[in-house]
Amino acid sequence: MEKVVRGKSHLIFALALIGLMVLTGVPLSFAGSPLVGKLHFKGDHTFKIVQFTDTQDDQDCDPRTISLINTVLDDQKPDLVVFTGDNIRGGPTTVDELKKAIDSVVSPVDSRAIPWLVTFGNHDHEATDPLGLTKADQLQIYMSYPYNINKKTSTGTYVGNMNVLIYSSKGATPMFNVWALDSGEYASETIGGQSIGDDGLPGWDWMRYKSIQWYTSTSEALQVANGKRIPSLMFFHIPLWEYSLMWNNKDRHSVVGERNETECPGPFNTGLFAAVLQRGDVKGIFVGHDHVNDYVGNYFGVTLGYSANTGFGTYGLGGTDNDRLRGARVFNLKETAPNKFTTKMVFAKDYNIQ
């Protein structure tokens, strides 16, 4: 049965339910949501994830974006939704407008009782900074929704780092894992007497050491606890340098899909991909950020991929093709083959949304 919780009532409902659970001694969910227990493969041994990215709008969200999200959810019926950053942008002038911007993109998921989580991109902070709020405050708004499963981590200002396990269909055995990392915003440091952005260096943030350390230590702990490496997918916003390296050798790495803009990583390659190779658990890394790229390839055994952007309120291809790549990425997992997955893009044009 579909549970509909909309508008301001979702927060009142969630707080009341949490209070009731505390009073009655019922433990809160591992994932931060009082309504979401452990994620499991379905009875047919499948599990589906949908990635939305760069919805990137304000309190007056383009209705086509909402139509696309609703239509994808009804068509694909995912078991988990991941928003990979630039979920909102600057524009809200009050906290109520900030909440309205957030609600526009997440309420279609939450109202369908689908577990979901967010990562942050380089634009999300633009909606909170003018209000004197932080990304941690923004995360708290997301976490107030009944079906959000974000968790707080202790990696400083990079507040979006988390993982969530997917268990077997008939038991409590972890079969798969989903990583969500905060890839930061913009680089503002001066290092070695040079400010980031000088001499053509890109001004995007980079994957910080604490986040890589957190992933590595958490991955190792999961292996110890379960006696095996847990195969996984990893999601964040800003691409790694390995994306462009893979594209430049695309025939070798079986790359498919489109590259319509140059990759925009940060100025430093800080070794997340090397850590992933060493750990051997991550089977795919997927990002957003570069709106009109949707290519996927096999880079030394790890699938690197883009999702083209979901939002209609930001840039596209331009011209008559401007909205052609707006869509979402779908992932299909099988409990019987957890080390493998399939993925595809679904596009607004396929649903006659334009």
Side-chain angles (χ1 to χ4, degrees):
M1 183 173 103
E2 179 177 307
K3 182 173 186 59
V4 179
V5 185
R6 294 188 183 275
K8 295 181 180 179
S9 62
H10 79 272
L11 180 57
I12 298 172
F13 175 83
L15 291 175
L17 184 56
I18 291 171
L20 178 62
M21 295 173 80
V22 170
L23 288 173
T24 57
V26 177
L28 298 181
S29 165
F30 77 103
S33 166
L35 297 185
V36 181
K38 292 180 178 179
L39 302 182
H40 286 267
F41 280 87
K42 296 193 290 288
D44 63 358
H45 309 292
T46 65
F47 192 94
K48 182 178 288 188
I49 300 172
V50 162
Q51 176 191 5
F52 295 120
T53 194
D54 297 88
T55 46
Q56 199 169 326
D57 217 328
D58 57 21
Q59 64 274 16
D60 298 314
C61 188
D62 191 308
R64 293 173 296 176
T65 302
I66 308 307
S67 178
L68 175 57
I69 293 173
N70 278 313
T71 303
V72 169
L73 294 175
D74 289 340
D75 179 49
Q76 294 297 320
K77 296 178 173 56
D79 304 296
L80 175 67
V81 169
V82 178
F83 290 91
T84 49
D86 285 4
N87 310 304
I88 58 174
R89 66 182 181 193
T93 59
T94 66
V95 173
D96 283 343
E97 287 183 347
L98 170 63
K99 291 180 178 179
K100 181 180 178 183
I102 288 173
D103 194 68
S104 293
V105 294
V106 304
S107 64
V109 186
D110 206 81
S111 67
R112 289 170 170 80
I114 301 169
W116 58 275
L117 61 92
V118 300
T119 63
F120 287 113
N122 52 289
H123 284 294
D124 294 280
H125 74 103
E126 295 169 357
T128 49
D129 287 357
L131 302 177
L133 302 175
T134 65
K135 285 200 304 185
D137 296 322
Q138 190 176 148
L139 181 63
Q140 196 61 45
I141 295 173
Y142 285 116
M143 291 178 64
S144 72
Y145 282 79
Y147 292 94
N148 174 268
I149 61 171
N150 276 95
K151 294 180 286 186
K152 292 182 178 179
T153 58
S154 57
T155 49
T157 58
Y158 297 84
V159 298
N161 295 344
M162 64 163 285
N163 74 288
V164 60
L165 292 168
I166 303 170
Y167 292 83
S168 58
S169 55
K170 295 183 179 179
T173 303
M175 300 298 295
F176 204 82
N177 187 32
V178 174
W179 301 96
L181 301 182
D182 184 352
S183 57
E185 303 161 6
Y186 298 96
S188 59
E189 291 94 329
T190 296
I191 301 174
Q194 299 179 19
S195 60
I196 303 300
D198 284 354
D199 302 321
L201 286 174
W204 314 112
D205 210 338
W206 58 90
M207 194 61 69
R208 301 293 175 135
Y209 171 73
K210 284 188 175 180
S211 293
I212 299 171
Q213 185 182 45
W214 174 82
Y215 153 67
T216 302
S217 61
T218 305
S219 173
E220 291 172 345
L222 286 172
Q223 182 177 355
V224 170
N226 296 284
K228 62 179 180 179
R229 288 183 174 88
I230 309 296
S232 59
L233 289 174
M234 180 178 281
F235 294 95
F236 48 89
H237 184 72
I238 298 174
L240 304 175
W241 276 97
E242 283 81 5
Y243 277 72
S244 60
L245 294 171
M246 182 179 74
W247 177 265
N248 291 337
N249 297 277
K250 57 182 178 295
D251 292 338
R252 177 183 179 185
H253 297 293
S254 304
V255 176
V256 295
E258 296 187 31
R259 177 186 185 262
N260 295 295
E261 62 178 306
T262 303
E263 297 83 358
C264 295
F268 308 122
N269 186 337
T270 50
L272 175 61
F273 189 80
V276 162
L277 285 184
Q278 182 177 15
R279 288 298 308 137
D281 54 353
V282 175
K283 305 306 175 184
I285 299 174
F286 287 84
V287 299
H289 191 53
D290 301 323
H291 296 190
V292 290
N293 293 342
D294 73 346
Y295 66 80
V296 175
N298 183 329
Y299 197 65
F300 298 100
V302 179
T303 301
L304 300 183
Y306 276 102
S307 177
N309 75 311
T310 303
F312 280 79
T314 183
Y315 77 87
L317 286 165
T320 57
D321 271 351
N322 189 55
D323 299 327
R324 178 171 60 81
L325 287 185
R326 303 194 195 276
R329 183 165 285 282
V330 180
F331 302 84
N332 289 293
L333 313 178
K334 288 187 177 180
E335 184 180 4
T336 54
N339 284 300
K340 299 178 181 180
F341 67 93
T342 61
T343 184
K344 65 177 181 179
M345 286 290 303
V346 291
F347 298 104
K349 61 184 176 61
D350 298 329
Y351 299 117
N352 295 316
I353 299 171
Q354 54 189 351

